[in-house]
Amino acid sequence: MGSILFDSDMVVVGQPFPDPEAVIADLAGRLAARGCVGPGFLEAVKDRETRFPTGLPTQPVGVAIPHTDPEYCLRPGLAVAVLPQPVPWRAMGTEQDLVDVRVVFLLALPAQKHVNFLSQLVQLFQSPDALTQLISLSDPAAVADFVRCRVNLSLT
């Protein structure tokens, strides 16, 4: 099945965003530009995020993992934002709780691969040292290298 498309062009670092919708729009644009997602992906992600928020209260910073149904995935891809200031994001499994998110992973994956990949990301999120190191990076290439070293991007 190949691997997940992810490189420095899929990373935004140091750019402030006013809200989750703006972060998702930027990352979705990166996935679309690389042919990973089809029409309707952005709206589907925003809709799913409204119904099933993905903010995680990890330490030392919050993380969000927005995604949507695999029907919008043309090619497996990942886009990442490392934010200079936290963006209030609705917490997973809640109606109103907010998490101050500084790292966002937007996923475009086939259905059968979401669970395996998410479990790898959760391992990364559970390491405060790894998150501290990730948010200290100021270069998209360094972020891409960091993620590639800690997460298996192969879908085989």
Side-chain angles (χ1 to χ4, degrees):
M1 174 157 258
S3 62
I4 297 168
L5 179 62
F6 178 66
D7 58 32
S8 61
D9 291 338
M10 312 292 267
V11 176
V12 59
V13 178
Q15 179 178 333
F17 290 95
D19 53 43
E21 293 80 12
V23 180
I24 291 169
D26 182 284
L27 296 178
R30 292 168 189 273
L31 289 169
R34 299 297 293 275
C36 294
V37 298
F41 176 78
L42 174 58
E43 290 307 314
V45 171
K46 291 191 317 190
D47 180 59
R48 187 185 188 289
E49 193 67 32
T50 298
R51 293 180 290 118
F52 305 105
T54 62
L56 299 170
T58 51
Q59 293 299 324
V61 297
V63 174
I65 49 172
H67 54 283
T68 193
D69 299 326
E71 67 190 77
Y72 300 98
C73 175
L74 303 175
R75 176 181 181 187
L78 171 67
V80 176
V82 179
L83 309 174
Q85 294 101 20
V87 170
W89 208 285
R90 283 186 41 227
M92 186 179 289
T94 71
E95 288 293 320
Q96 298 173 345
D97 293 350
L98 296 176
V99 175
D100 285 334
V101 165
R102 294 254 335 258
V103 180
V104 180
F105 288 82
L106 180 57
L107 312 176
L109 300 175
Q112 69 275 19
K113 298 301 176 182
H114 270 113
V115 174
N116 293 342
F117 190 71
L118 284 173
S119 67
Q120 288 187 61
L121 285 180
V122 167
Q123 286 182 334
L124 175 65
F125 305 158
Q126 289 176 335
S127 168
D129 291 341
L131 286 178
T132 298
Q133 189 175 354
L134 180 59
I135 63 171
S136 75
L137 301 173
S138 59
D139 176 66
V143 170
D145 288 344
F146 180 88
V147 172
R148 275 195 299 269
C149 287
R150 284 160 182 79
V151 179
N152 180 3
L153 299 175
S154 172
L155 291 177
T156 55

